[in-house]
């Protein structure tokens, strides 16, 4: 597995479940405090329309990469990796596109089959087809770990928030082999307007670094 695969694949794909692992036990019903925090998280995410931030991504083997992330809910996300990484990751119209600019190689998959798809839903609900595996409060942060109810062994997504005021600061994807990839956000801006072509695969500027006048690195 090359460095690029290590960097980008775990963020999207939880990976196949290990055959020897038993099905995950059902999660216990959340306590009253947990229910209140889950309601606050849902309200925050459902009220979040646009976000731009710098990101630092650390793969399970220590491989690191930085870049700029754009989120436009529902359904759209773009990860622009800083040079020399040639990677681009975009979600739109129900698809995730992974593109290697050096190899000119695109790969697509359904957003609904990825852990990050939970963040891009029109309505985020941490119940029903999403199961809450645990809530943790430590170091001044609020962490909630979730998985798709129908696929308990495919992997888990942990969202890390600053609780007051509520703000998404990090997420971690843990695959079925328990390999974790973390993405930490900084210089977060919300309520911005983005050019629609930033997320549209058929725009001629789409694959060009800085094609929309966007900052690269720094």
């Amino acid at each position: 597995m090359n460095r690029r695969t290590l960097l980008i694949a775990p963020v999207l794909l939880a990976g196949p479940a290990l055959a020897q692992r038993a099905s995950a036990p059902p999660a216990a019903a959340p306590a009253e405090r947990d229910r209140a925090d889950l309601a606050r998280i849902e309200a925050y995410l459902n009220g979040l329309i646009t976000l731009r931030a710098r990101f630092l991504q650390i793969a399970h083997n220590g491989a690191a990469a930085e870049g700029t992330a754009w989120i436009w809910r529902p359904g759209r996300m773009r990860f622009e990796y800083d040079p020399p990484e040639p990677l681009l990751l975009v979600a739109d119209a129900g698809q995730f596109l992974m593109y290697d600019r050096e190899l000119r190689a695109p790969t697509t998959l359904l957003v609904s089959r990825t852990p990050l798809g939970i963040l891009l839903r029109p309505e985020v609900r941490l119940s029903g087809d999403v199961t809450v595996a645990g809530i943790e409060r430590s170091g001044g942060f609020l962490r909630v770990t979730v998985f798709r109810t129908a696929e308990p062994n495919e992997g888990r997504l942990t969202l890390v928030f600053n609780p007051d005021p509520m703000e998404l600061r990090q997420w971690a994807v843990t695959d079925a082999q328990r390999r974790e990839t973390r993405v930490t956000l900084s210089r977060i801006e919300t309520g911005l307007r983005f050019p629609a072509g930033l997320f549209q695969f058929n725009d001629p500027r789409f694959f060009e670094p800085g094609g929309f006048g966007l900052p690269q690195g720094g």
Side-chain angles (χ1 to χ4, degrees):
M1 184 177 290
N2 62 33
R3 172 185 167 84
R4 298 174 194 177
T5 305
L6 286 169
L7 280 173
I8 203 167
V11 176
L12 294 178
L13 301 171
L18 294 177
Q20 65 267 31
R21 287 185 63 192
S23 296
E32 183 175 350
R33 183 185 181 191
D34 293 344
R35 289 196 298 270
D37 281 336
L38 291 174
R40 291 179 61 220
I41 291 171
E42 288 179 344
Y44 164 78
L45 292 175
N46 288 320
L48 180 66
I49 305 302
T50 60
L51 177 149
R52 181 175 63 197
R54 293 290 297 166
F55 71 84
L56 171 63
Q57 180 178 313
I58 307 294
H60 72 275
N61 68 334
E66 296 183 73
T68 302
W70 295 264
I71 297 174
W72 187 355
R73 298 189 62 259
R76 286 164 284 192
M77 174 183 288
R78 181 177 178 120
F79 271 49
E80 186 89 32
Y81 287 77
D82 291 348
E85 293 297 339
L87 301 174
L88 175 66
L89 167 63
V90 180
D92 187 40
Q95 293 186 89
F96 261 116
L97 171 74
M98 296 178 287
Y99 186 74
D100 186 314
R101 289 191 175 104
E102 284 187 359
L103 302 178
R104 299 184 181 274
T107 302
T108 60
L109 64 158
L110 293 176
V111 171
S112 61
R113 299 292 297 177
T114 69
L116 286 182
I118 293 173
L119 287 178
L120 301 180
R121 293 178 172 186
E123 182 181 10
V124 177
R125 292 182 59 85
L126 303 180
S127 60
D129 65 346
V130 174
T131 294
V132 176
I135 300 178
E136 178 187 348
R137 303 166 187 86
S138 63
F141 292 99
L142 174 64
R143 296 170 173 82
V144 57
T145 299
V146 299
F147 59 86
R148 291 198 304 138
T149 304
E151 301 290 345
N153 290 331
E154 75 174 359
R156 300 193 174 197
L157 172 68
T158 298
L159 302 172
V160 182
F161 299 89
N162 180 358
D164 189 21
M166 185 69 71
E167 184 178 54
L168 179 64
R169 300 299 300 273
Q170 185 185 85
W171 62 73
V173 175
T174 304
D175 69 13
Q177 287 75 41
R178 302 189 182 182
R179 297 174 300 195
E180 181 184 85
T181 297
R182 287 179 286 114
V183 173
T184 302
L185 304 179
S186 62
R187 292 162 51 182
I188 298 168
E189 301 174 275
T190 58
L192 304 176
R193 298 185 66 178
F194 303 144
L198 190 62
F199 309 92
Q200 294 174 353
F201 307 159
N202 60 353
D203 191 295
R205 298 167 294 172
F206 179 82
F207 295 106
E208 300 174 13
F212 295 90
L214 303 173
Q216 299 298 302

